[in-house]
Amino acid sequence: MTTGRYVTFEGIEGAGKSTVAALAAERLRDVGMSVVEVREPGGTTAGEQIRSVLLDGDAHLEGWTEALLFAAARAQLAAEVIKPALMSGSWVVGDRSVYSSLAYQGGGRRLGIEAVEAINRQGLGDVWPDHVVLLRIDASTGLDRQDVEDRIGSEGAEFQSHVAEAFDLLAKLEPDRFTTVEASLPLDHVLDEVMRGLLGVSR
Ligand code: Z5A
């Protein structure tokens, strides 16, 4: 049986993940792939409820509470949506994934990348991104592009720089899994680079 591939788009705020993920999914469909799009946190009934606690709530959350809630929403998404899609041969295109937890909670919140990976592995089993597209942008350009700010997006510049450093470290540690693209370039250019990374061609 052929299983699909799981691709995720990552980066700091305003890098263009949602925009580029949707366009990449469209291009994959154009070349005949079946594609399921997911976003994190969310994508299931329970996951959307957890999303509002994580992003819309005013309450202070401890770092580990935050990390465990992201992992819980993700475990549900993996079991309910991602694994069945991959088993049916579809590609899964993710707007964020476990790599956001490694960078935001592991790096940004200083919980440690390995410790955050461990709590996520439990709930994900063998569901893990095959390919990570890291859209790189400097924090001020990213913030200028953002229209809505959430609880985590309103953290200060120091937090954002820890997150960006963690993403760079993750890309360095897993060069075969990551495609890194300069996201301040025009959208068409960004998309061509992404598709070159995903399919080995520019269309
Ligand atoms: N979070 C976490 O801490 N841990 C986790 O495990 C996970 C998430 C999964 C999720 O919020 C928050 O949760 C996020 C990380 C944290 N918080 N922060 N900060 P979300 O899903 O609601 O939002 P987001 O993922 O942060 O989205 P975003 O960064 O705000 O946006 P984006 O998806 O990167 O960008 P966009 O919406 O596609 O584009 C923004 C604008 O830029 C838009 O007008 C585009 O048309 C424009 N754009 C995009 N590309 C270009 C180019 N190349 N040129 C010019 N303009 C462009």
mmCIF file of all heavy atoms in Angstrom, residues 11-20 39-41 51 55 66 70-71 74 95-102 104-105 135 145-148 150 152-154 159-160 183-188 190, ligand 1:
data_model
loop_
_atom_site.group_PDB
_atom_site.id
_atom_site.type_symbol
_atom_site.label_atom_id
_atom_site.label_comp_id
_atom_site.label_asym_id
_atom_site.label_seq_id
_atom_site.Cartn_x
_atom_site.Cartn_y
_atom_site.Cartn_z
ATOM 1 N N GLY A 11 7.571 28.555 10.968
ATOM 2 C CA GLY A 11 8.260 29.850 10.994
ATOM 3 C C GLY A 11 7.667 30.725 12.077
ATOM 4 O O GLY A 11 6.677 30.358 12.710
ATOM 5 N N ILE A 12 8.270 31.893 12.279
ATOM 6 C CA ILE A 12 7.752 32.824 13.285
ATOM 7 C C ILE A 12 6.528 33.539 12.713
ATOM 8 O O ILE A 12 6.177 33.354 11.533
ATOM 9 C CB ILE A 12 8.831 33.827 13.748
ATOM 10 C CG1 ILE A 12 9.337 34.670 12.567
ATOM 11 C CG2 ILE A 12 9.984 33.104 14.441
ATOM 12 C CD1 ILE A 12 10.229 35.839 13.000
ATOM 13 N N GLU A 13 5.899 34.361 13.515
ATOM 14 C CA GLU A 13 4.684 35.045 13.086
ATOM 15 C C GLU A 13 4.901 35.883 11.837
ATOM 16 O O GLU A 13 5.906 36.563 11.701
ATOM 17 C CB GLU A 13 4.161 35.995 14.177
ATOM 18 C CG GLU A 13 3.581 35.293 15.341
ATOM 19 C CD GLU A 13 4.671 34.903 16.305
ATOM 20 O OE1 GLU A 13 5.432 33.956 16.032
ATOM 21 O OE2 GLU A 13 4.764 35.568 17.320
ATOM 22 N N GLY A 14 3.899 35.815 10.960
ATOM 23 C CA GLY A 14 3.917 36.645 9.769
ATOM 24 C C GLY A 14 4.857 36.149 8.687
ATOM 25 O O GLY A 14 5.068 36.817 7.672
ATOM 26 N N ALA A 15 5.403 34.939 8.852
ATOM 27 C CA ALA A 15 6.326 34.409 7.832
ATOM 28 C C ALA A 15 5.574 34.071 6.538
ATOM 29 O O ALA A 15 6.187 33.979 5.473
ATOM 30 C CB ALA A 15 7.046 33.178 8.373
ATOM 31 N N GLY A 16 4.261 33.860 6.655
ATOM 32 C CA GLY A 16 3.462 33.540 5.469
ATOM 33 C C GLY A 16 3.066 32.076 5.390
ATOM 34 O O GLY A 16 2.659 31.582 4.341
ATOM 35 N N LYS A 17 3.126 31.370 6.528
ATOM 36 C CA LYS A 17 2.839 29.925 6.537
ATOM 37 C C LYS A 17 1.468 29.587 5.968
ATOM 38 O O LYS A 17 1.360 28.719 5.105
ATOM 39 C CB LYS A 17 2.905 29.363 7.967
ATOM 40 C CG LYS A 17 4.259 29.504 8.615
ATOM 41 C CD LYS A 17 4.194 29.219 10.083
ATOM 42 C CE LYS A 17 3.292 30.162 10.847
ATOM 43 N NZ LYS A 17 3.696 31.580 10.841
ATOM 44 N N SER A 18 0.416 30.287 6.450
ATOM 45 C CA SER A 18 -0.945 29.933 6.011
ATOM 46 C C SER A 18 -1.095 30.182 4.516
ATOM 47 O O SER A 18 -1.642 29.349 3.783
ATOM 48 C CB SER A 18 -1.988 30.767 6.755
ATOM 49 O OG SER A 18 -1.750 30.696 8.131
ATOM 50 N N THR A 19 -0.591 31.327 4.056
ATOM 51 C CA THR A 19 -0.696 31.685 2.635
ATOM 52 C C THR A 19 0.048 30.672 1.776
ATOM 53 O O THR A 19 -0.491 30.141 0.801
ATOM 54 C CB THR A 19 -0.067 33.092 2.419
ATOM 55 O OG1 THR A 19 -0.681 34.000 3.326
ATOM 56 C CG2 THR A 19 -0.230 33.560 0.990
ATOM 57 N N VAL A 20 1.291 30.392 2.128
ATOM 58 C CA VAL A 20 2.129 29.522 1.288
ATOM 59 C C VAL A 20 1.648 28.069 1.363
ATOM 60 O O VAL A 20 1.631 27.363 0.351
ATOM 61 C CB VAL A 20 3.623 29.654 1.677
ATOM 62 C CG1 VAL A 20 4.487 28.745 0.828
ATOM 63 C CG2 VAL A 20 4.087 31.106 1.545
ATOM 64 N N ARG A 39 -4.483 22.616 10.268
ATOM 65 C CA ARG A 39 -3.765 23.692 10.954
ATOM 66 C C ARG A 39 -3.677 23.358 12.428
ATOM 67 O O ARG A 39 -4.523 22.653 12.983
ATOM 68 C CB ARG A 39 -4.476 25.033 10.774
ATOM 69 C CG ARG A 39 -5.775 25.124 11.548
ATOM 70 C CD ARG A 39 -6.076 26.538 11.962
ATOM 71 N NE ARG A 39 -7.323 26.567 12.745
ATOM 72 C CZ ARG A 39 -7.950 27.658 13.076
ATOM 73 N NH1 ARG A 39 -7.491 28.834 12.708
ATOM 74 N NH2 ARG A 39 -9.046 27.627 13.795
ATOM 75 N N GLU A 40 -2.618 23.856 13.052
ATOM 76 C CA GLU A 40 -2.430 23.616 14.493
ATOM 77 C C GLU A 40 -2.263 24.938 15.230
ATOM 78 O O GLU A 40 -1.632 25.852 14.688
ATOM 79 C CB GLU A 40 -1.179 22.762 14.710
ATOM 80 C CG GLU A 40 -1.349 21.338 14.229
ATOM 81 C CD GLU A 40 -0.335 20.415 14.894
ATOM 82 O OE1 GLU A 40 0.103 20.699 16.034
ATOM 83 O OE2 GLU A 40 0.010 19.423 14.259
ATOM 84 N N PRO A 41 -2.762 25.014 16.482
ATOM 85 C CA PRO A 41 -3.586 23.995 17.095
ATOM 86 C C PRO A 41 -4.987 24.016 16.508
ATOM 87 O O PRO A 41 -5.446 25.072 16.059
ATOM 88 C CB PRO A 41 -3.605 24.405 18.573
ATOM 89 C CG PRO A 41 -3.416 25.891 18.549
ATOM 90 C CD PRO A 41 -2.525 26.162 17.384
ATOM 91 N N ARG A 51 -7.616 25.051 21.283
ATOM 92 C CA ARG A 51 -7.063 26.246 20.631
ATOM 93 C C ARG A 51 -7.551 27.517 21.327
ATOM 94 O O ARG A 51 -6.777 28.436 21.578
ATOM 95 C CB ARG A 51 -7.461 26.271 19.144
ATOM 96 C CG ARG A 51 -6.931 27.482 18.402
ATOM 97 C CD ARG A 51 -7.398 27.528 16.944
ATOM 98 N NE ARG A 51 -6.933 28.751 16.322
ATOM 99 C CZ ARG A 51 -5.804 28.871 15.638
ATOM 100 N NH1 ARG A 51 -5.037 27.836 15.451
ATOM 101 N NH2 ARG A 51 -5.430 30.031 15.142
ATOM 102 N N LEU A 55 -5.008 30.219 22.818
ATOM 103 C CA LEU A 55 -4.742 31.479 22.105
ATOM 104 C C LEU A 55 -5.630 32.637 22.518
ATOM 105 O O LEU A 55 -5.192 33.784 22.529
ATOM 106 C CB LEU A 55 -4.867 31.270 20.589
ATOM 107 C CG LEU A 55 -3.946 30.199 19.997
ATOM 108 C CD1 LEU A 55 -4.095 30.149 18.486
ATOM 109 C CD2 LEU A 55 -2.488 30.438 20.364
ATOM 110 N N GLU A 66 0.936 24.872 28.822
ATOM 111 C CA GLU A 66 0.845 25.248 27.410
ATOM 112 C C GLU A 66 1.360 24.109 26.514
ATOM 113 O O GLU A 66 0.689 23.697 25.563
ATOM 114 C CB GLU A 66 1.693 26.516 27.226
ATOM 115 C CG GLU A 66 1.537 27.195 25.901
ATOM 116 C CD GLU A 66 2.413 28.440 25.868
ATOM 117 O OE1 GLU A 66 1.980 29.483 26.397
ATOM 118 O OE2 GLU A 66 3.532 28.366 25.323
ATOM 119 N N PHE A 70 -0.871 21.906 23.759
ATOM 120 C CA PHE A 70 -0.533 21.793 22.328
ATOM 121 C C PHE A 70 -0.377 20.319 21.946
ATOM 122 O O PHE A 70 -0.855 19.884 20.901
ATOM 123 C CB PHE A 70 0.765 22.549 22.003
ATOM 124 C CG PHE A 70 0.569 24.017 21.746
ATOM 125 C CD1 PHE A 70 1.146 24.972 22.580
ATOM 126 C CD2 PHE A 70 -0.171 24.465 20.656
ATOM 127 C CE1 PHE A 70 0.980 26.339 22.342
ATOM 128 C CE2 PHE A 70 -0.341 25.830 20.406
ATOM 129 C CZ PHE A 70 0.232 26.757 21.253
ATOM 130 N N ALA A 71 0.296 19.548 22.825
ATOM 131 C CA ALA A 71 0.524 18.128 22.522
ATOM 132 C C ALA A 71 -0.794 17.351 22.500
ATOM 133 O O ALA A 71 -0.978 16.443 21.681
ATOM 134 C CB ALA A 71 1.486 17.531 23.549
ATOM 135 N N ARG A 74 -2.690 18.067 19.331
ATOM 136 C CA ARG A 74 -1.949 17.424 18.218
ATOM 137 C C ARG A 74 -2.183 15.912 18.185
ATOM 138 O O ARG A 74 -2.338 15.330 17.114
ATOM 139 C CB ARG A 74 -0.467 17.756 18.406
ATOM 140 C CG ARG A 74 0.457 17.145 17.393
ATOM 141 C CD ARG A 74 1.835 17.756 17.525
ATOM 142 N NE ARG A 74 1.800 19.186 17.334
ATOM 143 C CZ ARG A 74 2.267 20.082 18.222
ATOM 144 N NH1 ARG A 74 2.839 19.695 19.358
ATOM 145 N NH2 ARG A 74 2.174 21.369 17.966
ATOM 146 N N ASP A 95 -0.292 23.555 8.491
ATOM 147 C CA ASP A 95 0.058 24.927 8.868
ATOM 148 C C ASP A 95 0.468 24.813 10.346
ATOM 149 O O ASP A 95 -0.377 24.816 11.215
ATOM 150 C CB ASP A 95 -1.191 25.796 8.677
ATOM 151 C CG ASP A 95 -0.969 27.256 9.015
ATOM 152 O OD1 ASP A 95 0.086 27.602 9.577
ATOM 153 O OD2 ASP A 95 -1.884 28.059 8.717
ATOM 154 N N ARG A 96 1.737 24.610 10.588
ATOM 155 C CA ARG A 96 2.376 24.303 11.875
ATOM 156 C C ARG A 96 2.209 22.824 12.236
ATOM 157 O O ARG A 96 1.349 22.127 11.703
ATOM 158 C CB ARG A 96 1.857 25.192 13.020
ATOM 159 C CG ARG A 96 2.163 26.679 12.827
ATOM 160 C CD ARG A 96 2.034 27.412 14.155
ATOM 161 N NE ARG A 96 2.259 28.852 14.046
ATOM 162 C CZ ARG A 96 3.472 29.400 14.119
ATOM 163 N NH1 ARG A 96 4.542 28.657 14.269
ATOM 164 N NH2 ARG A 96 3.602 30.722 14.056
ATOM 165 N N SER A 97 3.074 22.371 13.177
ATOM 166 C CA SER A 97 3.126 20.965 13.578
ATOM 167 C C SER A 97 3.894 20.868 14.897
ATOM 168 O O SER A 97 4.167 21.892 15.544
ATOM 169 C CB SER A 97 3.886 20.157 12.514
ATOM 170 O OG SER A 97 5.282 20.454 12.606
ATOM 171 N N VAL A 98 4.336 19.651 15.213
ATOM 172 C CA VAL A 98 5.148 19.443 16.417
ATOM 173 C C VAL A 98 6.406 20.323 16.411
ATOM 174 O O VAL A 98 6.906 20.730 17.466
ATOM 175 C CB VAL A 98 5.525 17.941 16.540
ATOM 176 C CG1 VAL A 98 6.370 17.464 15.370
ATOM 177 C CG2 VAL A 98 6.232 17.654 17.857
ATOM 178 N N TYR A 99 6.898 20.674 15.222
ATOM 179 C CA TYR A 99 8.108 21.522 15.174
ATOM 180 C C TYR A 99 7.844 22.912 15.751
ATOM 181 O O TYR A 99 8.766 23.558 16.258
ATOM 182 C CB TYR A 99 8.683 21.573 13.747
ATOM 183 C CG TYR A 99 9.444 20.289 13.448
ATOM 184 C CD1 TYR A 99 8.796 19.192 12.897
ATOM 185 C CD2 TYR A 99 10.788 20.146 13.790
ATOM 186 C CE1 TYR A 99 9.478 17.989 12.673
ATOM 187 C CE2 TYR A 99 11.475 18.960 13.579
ATOM 188 C CZ TYR A 99 10.810 17.890 13.019
ATOM 189 O OH TYR A 99 11.489 16.708 12.820
ATOM 190 N N SER A 100 6.581 23.392 15.712
ATOM 191 C CA SER A 100 6.279 24.665 16.384
ATOM 192 C C SER A 100 6.431 24.508 17.893
ATOM 193 O O SER A 100 6.936 25.406 18.573
ATOM 194 C CB SER A 100 4.845 25.132 16.069
ATOM 195 O OG SER A 100 4.787 25.726 14.799
ATOM 196 N N SER A 101 5.999 23.366 18.428
ATOM 197 C CA SER A 101 6.168 23.162 19.879
ATOM 198 C C SER A 101 7.641 23.090 20.254
ATOM 199 O O SER A 101 8.061 23.614 21.289
ATOM 200 C CB SER A 101 5.466 21.877 20.333
ATOM 201 O OG SER A 101 4.086 22.108 20.493
ATOM 202 N N LEU A 102 8.439 22.420 19.397
ATOM 203 C CA LEU A 102 9.871 22.326 19.705
ATOM 204 C C LEU A 102 10.482 23.734 19.759
ATOM 205 O O LEU A 102 11.297 24.042 20.641
ATOM 206 C CB LEU A 102 10.595 21.458 18.667
ATOM 207 C CG LEU A 102 10.080 20.014 18.510
ATOM 208 C CD1 LEU A 102 10.953 19.237 17.531
ATOM 209 C CD2 LEU A 102 10.007 19.297 19.841
ATOM 210 N N TYR A 104 8.685 26.916 19.913
ATOM 211 C CA TYR A 104 8.032 27.897 20.810
ATOM 212 C C TYR A 104 8.129 27.489 22.286
ATOM 213 O O TYR A 104 8.474 28.307 23.133
ATOM 214 C CB TYR A 104 6.552 28.082 20.430
ATOM 215 C CG TYR A 104 6.353 29.014 19.258
ATOM 216 C CD1 TYR A 104 6.459 28.569 17.952
ATOM 217 C CD2 TYR A 104 6.056 30.366 19.447
ATOM 218 C CE1 TYR A 104 6.282 29.424 16.871
ATOM 219 C CE2 TYR A 104 5.862 31.236 18.385
ATOM 220 C CZ TYR A 104 5.983 30.756 17.099
ATOM 221 O OH TYR A 104 5.814 31.608 16.035
ATOM 222 N N GLN A 105 7.765 26.200 22.552
ATOM 223 C CA GLN A 105 7.788 25.805 23.960
ATOM 224 C C GLN A 105 9.204 25.342 24.354
ATOM 225 O O GLN A 105 9.707 25.716 25.411
ATOM 226 C CB GLN A 105 6.752 24.694 24.223
ATOM 227 C CG GLN A 105 5.308 25.203 24.349
ATOM 228 C CD GLN A 105 4.742 25.830 23.081
ATOM 229 O OE1 GLN A 105 4.776 25.216 22.012
ATOM 230 N NE2 GLN A 105 4.248 27.060 23.190
ATOM 231 N N LEU A 135 9.902 28.806 6.736
ATOM 232 C CA LEU A 135 9.863 30.125 6.087
ATOM 233 C C LEU A 135 10.572 31.090 7.028
ATOM 234 O O LEU A 135 10.091 31.364 8.122
ATOM 235 C CB LEU A 135 8.413 30.536 5.835
ATOM 236 C CG LEU A 135 7.619 29.598 4.921
ATOM 237 C CD1 LEU A 135 6.167 30.052 4.794
ATOM 238 C CD2 LEU A 135 8.253 29.503 3.530
ATOM 239 N N ARG A 145 3.556 42.246 9.088
ATOM 240 C CA ARG A 145 2.576 41.562 8.243
ATOM 241 C C ARG A 145 1.377 41.032 9.022
ATOM 242 O O ARG A 145 0.360 40.701 8.453
ATOM 243 C CB ARG A 145 3.235 40.339 7.577
ATOM 244 C CG ARG A 145 4.121 40.663 6.409
ATOM 245 C CD ARG A 145 4.551 39.332 5.828
ATOM 246 N NE ARG A 145 5.536 39.454 4.793
ATOM 247 C CZ ARG A 145 6.162 38.403 4.263
ATOM 248 N NH1 ARG A 145 5.876 37.187 4.690
ATOM 249 N NH2 ARG A 145 7.038 38.571 3.313
ATOM 250 N N GLN A 146 1.524 40.941 10.350
ATOM 251 C CA GLN A 146 0.480 40.321 11.159
ATOM 252 C C GLN A 146 -0.682 41.265 11.359
ATOM 253 O O GLN A 146 -0.483 42.413 11.725
ATOM 254 C CB GLN A 146 1.060 40.021 12.548
ATOM 255 C CG GLN A 146 1.015 38.585 12.911
ATOM 256 C CD GLN A 146 1.397 38.380 14.362
ATOM 257 O OE1 GLN A 146 1.938 39.271 15.013
ATOM 258 N NE2 GLN A 146 1.097 37.231 14.869
ATOM 259 N N ASP A 147 -1.937 40.759 11.164
ATOM 260 C CA ASP A 147 -3.083 41.631 11.448
ATOM 261 C C ASP A 147 -3.697 41.340 12.816
ATOM 262 O O ASP A 147 -4.172 42.226 13.485
ATOM 263 C CB ASP A 147 -4.153 41.571 10.341
ATOM 264 C CG ASP A 147 -4.092 40.306 9.508
ATOM 265 O OD1 ASP A 147 -3.015 39.701 9.453
ATOM 266 O OD2 ASP A 147 -5.130 39.947 8.930
ATOM 267 N N VAL A 148 -3.677 40.053 13.259
ATOM 268 C CA VAL A 148 -4.269 39.722 14.559
ATOM 269 C C VAL A 148 -3.181 39.162 15.473
ATOM 270 O O VAL A 148 -2.376 38.350 15.049
ATOM 271 C CB VAL A 148 -5.341 38.612 14.412
ATOM 272 C CG1 VAL A 148 -6.142 38.461 15.704
ATOM 273 C CG2 VAL A 148 -6.254 38.878 13.237
ATOM 274 N N ASP A 150 -2.291 37.044 18.946
ATOM 275 C CA ASP A 150 -2.870 36.154 19.955
ATOM 276 C C ASP A 150 -2.019 36.183 21.221
ATOM 277 O O ASP A 150 -1.034 36.913 21.303
ATOM 278 C CB ASP A 150 -3.011 34.720 19.397
ATOM 279 C CG ASP A 150 -1.679 34.182 18.919
ATOM 280 O OD1 ASP A 150 -0.744 34.106 19.733
ATOM 281 O OD2 ASP A 150 -1.566 33.839 17.720
ATOM 282 N N ILE A 152 0.130 34.175 22.469
ATOM 283 C CA ILE A 152 1.551 33.831 22.336
ATOM 284 C C ILE A 152 2.260 34.824 21.407
ATOM 285 O O ILE A 152 3.406 35.208 21.635
ATOM 286 C CB ILE A 152 1.698 32.371 21.854
ATOM 287 C CG1 ILE A 152 1.103 31.448 22.922
ATOM 288 C CG2 ILE A 152 3.152 32.028 21.573
ATOM 289 C CD1 ILE A 152 0.979 29.998 22.528
ATOM 290 N N GLY A 153 1.520 35.286 20.386
ATOM 291 C CA GLY A 153 2.100 36.261 19.447
ATOM 292 C C GLY A 153 2.424 37.588 20.104
ATOM 293 O O GLY A 153 3.199 38.390 19.560
ATOM 294 N N SER A 154 1.823 37.847 21.283
ATOM 295 C CA SER A 154 2.085 39.145 21.916
ATOM 296 C C SER A 154 3.277 39.091 22.873
ATOM 297 O O SER A 154 3.558 40.069 23.569
ATOM 298 C CB SER A 154 0.831 39.630 22.652
ATOM 299 O OG SER A 154 0.449 38.665 23.594
ATOM 300 N N PHE A 159 11.543 36.706 23.382
ATOM 301 C CA PHE A 159 10.887 35.400 23.181
ATOM 302 C C PHE A 159 10.955 35.029 21.697
ATOM 303 O O PHE A 159 11.329 33.913 21.340
ATOM 304 C CB PHE A 159 9.427 35.508 23.659
ATOM 305 C CG PHE A 159 8.602 34.272 23.400
ATOM 306 C CD1 PHE A 159 8.659 33.197 24.279
ATOM 307 C CD2 PHE A 159 7.773 34.183 22.297
ATOM 308 C CE1 PHE A 159 7.890 32.050 24.052
ATOM 309 C CE2 PHE A 159 7.010 33.043 22.063
ATOM 310 C CZ PHE A 159 7.069 31.970 22.933
ATOM 311 N N GLN A 160 10.603 35.993 20.841
ATOM 312 C CA GLN A 160 10.583 35.716 19.393
ATOM 313 C C GLN A 160 11.974 35.326 18.899
ATOM 314 O O GLN A 160 12.108 34.460 18.035
ATOM 315 C CB GLN A 160 10.087 36.938 18.596
ATOM 316 C CG GLN A 160 8.716 37.469 18.991
ATOM 317 C CD GLN A 160 7.592 36.453 18.856
ATOM 318 O OE1 GLN A 160 7.737 35.432 18.168
ATOM 319 N NE2 GLN A 160 6.482 36.705 19.524
ATOM 320 N N ALA A 183 11.558 34.042 3.317
ATOM 321 C CA ALA A 183 10.141 34.371 3.146
ATOM 322 C C ALA A 183 9.862 35.847 2.913
ATOM 323 O O ALA A 183 8.713 36.237 2.718
ATOM 324 C CB ALA A 183 9.370 33.886 4.365
ATOM 325 N N SER A 184 10.921 36.706 2.912
ATOM 326 C CA SER A 184 10.669 38.120 2.631
ATOM 327 C C SER A 184 10.632 38.381 1.124
ATOM 328 O O SER A 184 10.283 39.466 0.683
ATOM 329 C CB SER A 184 11.747 38.988 3.284
ATOM 330 O OG SER A 184 13.002 38.599 2.787
ATOM 331 N N LEU A 185 10.971 37.362 0.329
ATOM 332 C CA LEU A 185 10.956 37.518 -1.138
ATOM 333 C C LEU A 185 9.512 37.509 -1.650
ATOM 334 O O LEU A 185 8.604 37.097 -0.921
ATOM 335 C CB LEU A 185 11.756 36.369 -1.776
ATOM 336 C CG LEU A 185 13.244 36.356 -1.418
ATOM 337 C CD1 LEU A 185 13.916 35.087 -1.910
ATOM 338 C CD2 LEU A 185 13.945 37.596 -1.995
ATOM 339 N N PRO A 186 9.298 37.952 -2.913
ATOM 340 C CA PRO A 186 7.930 37.951 -3.446
ATOM 341 C C PRO A 186 7.312 36.542 -3.379
ATOM 342 O O PRO A 186 8.014 35.538 -3.525
ATOM 343 C CB PRO A 186 8.115 38.409 -4.902
ATOM 344 C CG PRO A 186 9.400 39.165 -4.895
ATOM 345 C CD PRO A 186 10.265 38.525 -3.858
ATOM 346 N N LEU A 187 6.003 36.522 -3.171
ATOM 347 C CA LEU A 187 5.289 35.266 -2.931
ATOM 348 C C LEU A 187 5.530 34.205 -4.016
ATOM 349 O O LEU A 187 5.732 33.025 -3.701
ATOM 350 C CB LEU A 187 3.792 35.591 -2.813
ATOM 351 C CG LEU A 187 2.871 34.548 -2.228
ATOM 352 C CD1 LEU A 187 3.403 33.966 -0.928
ATOM 353 C CD2 LEU A 187 1.491 35.154 -2.009
ATOM 354 N N ASP A 188 5.525 34.611 -5.289
ATOM 355 C CA ASP A 188 5.733 33.640 -6.389
ATOM 356 C C ASP A 188 7.078 32.952 -6.249
ATOM 357 O O ASP A 188 7.212 31.756 -6.486
ATOM 358 C CB ASP A 188 5.732 34.365 -7.751
ATOM 359 C CG ASP A 188 4.326 34.626 -8.203
ATOM 360 O OD1 ASP A 188 3.409 34.187 -7.495
ATOM 361 O OD2 ASP A 188 4.163 35.273 -9.261
ATOM 362 N N VAL A 190 8.841 32.629 -3.432
ATOM 363 C CA VAL A 190 8.797 31.763 -2.242
ATOM 364 C C VAL A 190 8.153 30.427 -2.617
ATOM 365 O O VAL A 190 8.673 29.348 -2.309
ATOM 366 C CB VAL A 190 8.005 32.450 -1.096
ATOM 367 C CG1 VAL A 190 7.784 31.495 0.070
ATOM 368 C CG2 VAL A 190 8.730 33.708 -0.624
HETATM 369 N N1 Z5A B 1 2.105 27.818 18.694
HETATM 370 C C1 Z5A B 1 2.932 27.359 19.709
HETATM 371 O O1 Z5A B 1 3.390 28.137 20.539
HETATM 372 N N2 Z5A B 1 3.206 26.029 19.773
HETATM 373 C C2 Z5A B 1 2.675 25.124 18.914
HETATM 374 O O2 Z5A B 1 2.938 23.915 19.030
HETATM 375 C C3 Z5A B 1 1.833 25.618 17.866
HETATM 376 C C4 Z5A B 1 1.570 26.969 17.799
HETATM 377 C C5 Z5A B 1 1.228 24.666 16.883
HETATM 378 C C6 Z5A B 1 -0.796 29.918 16.482
HETATM 379 O O3 Z5A B 1 -1.471 30.967 16.012
HETATM 380 C C7 Z5A B 1 0.046 30.445 17.643
HETATM 381 O O4 Z5A B 1 0.384 29.362 18.490
HETATM 382 C C8 Z5A B 1 1.313 30.999 17.139
HETATM 383 C C9 Z5A B 1 2.397 29.990 17.506
HETATM 384 C C10 Z5A B 1 1.788 29.251 18.631
HETATM 385 N N3 Z5A B 1 1.515 32.183 17.882
HETATM 386 N N4 Z5A B 1 2.309 32.956 17.736
HETATM 387 N N5 Z5A B 1 2.919 33.825 17.798
HETATM 388 P P1 Z5A B 1 -2.132 31.022 14.562
HETATM 389 O O5 Z5A B 1 -2.159 29.686 13.943
HETATM 390 O O6 Z5A B 1 -3.414 31.713 14.730
HETATM 391 O O7 Z5A B 1 -1.197 32.044 13.862
HETATM 392 P P2 Z5A B 1 0.221 31.914 13.288
HETATM 393 O O8 Z5A B 1 0.566 30.506 12.935
HETATM 394 O O9 Z5A B 1 1.131 32.612 14.203
HETATM 395 O O10 Z5A B 1 0.006 32.689 11.937
HETATM 396 P P3 Z5A B 1 0.725 34.013 11.560
HETATM 397 O O11 Z5A B 1 2.175 33.845 11.878
HETATM 398 O O12 Z5A B 1 0.035 35.172 12.144
HETATM 399 O O13 Z5A B 1 0.647 34.143 10.075
HETATM 400 P P4 Z5A B 1 1.345 33.307 8.892
HETATM 401 O O14 Z5A B 1 0.485 32.109 8.663
HETATM 402 O O15 Z5A B 1 2.790 33.065 9.037
HETATM 403 O O16 Z5A B 1 1.242 34.352 7.746
HETATM 404 P P5 Z5A B 1 0.028 34.539 6.693
HETATM 405 O O17 Z5A B 1 -1.268 34.745 7.439
HETATM 406 O O18 Z5A B 1 0.083 33.533 5.646
HETATM 407 O O19 Z5A B 1 0.508 35.904 6.034
HETATM 408 C C11 Z5A B 1 0.488 37.141 6.761
HETATM 409 C C12 Z5A B 1 0.341 38.303 5.744
HETATM 410 O O20 Z5A B 1 1.536 38.371 4.963
HETATM 411 C C13 Z5A B 1 -0.804 38.108 4.759
HETATM 412 O O21 Z5A B 1 -1.382 39.352 4.530
HETATM 413 C C14 Z5A B 1 -0.115 37.590 3.492
HETATM 414 O O22 Z5A B 1 -0.810 37.929 2.318
HETATM 415 C C15 Z5A B 1 1.218 38.303 3.574
HETATM 416 N N6 Z5A B 1 2.329 37.564 2.912
HETATM 417 C C16 Z5A B 1 2.609 36.251 3.000
HETATM 418 N N7 Z5A B 1 3.702 35.946 2.267
HETATM 419 C C17 Z5A B 1 4.127 37.105 1.709
HETATM 420 C C18 Z5A B 1 5.226 37.449 0.842
HETATM 421 N N8 Z5A B 1 6.122 36.541 0.419
HETATM 422 N N9 Z5A B 1 5.363 38.735 0.500
HETATM 423 C C19 Z5A B 1 4.498 39.669 0.953
HETATM 424 N N10 Z5A B 1 3.430 39.417 1.742
HETATM 425 C C20 Z5A B 1 3.249 38.143 2.134
#
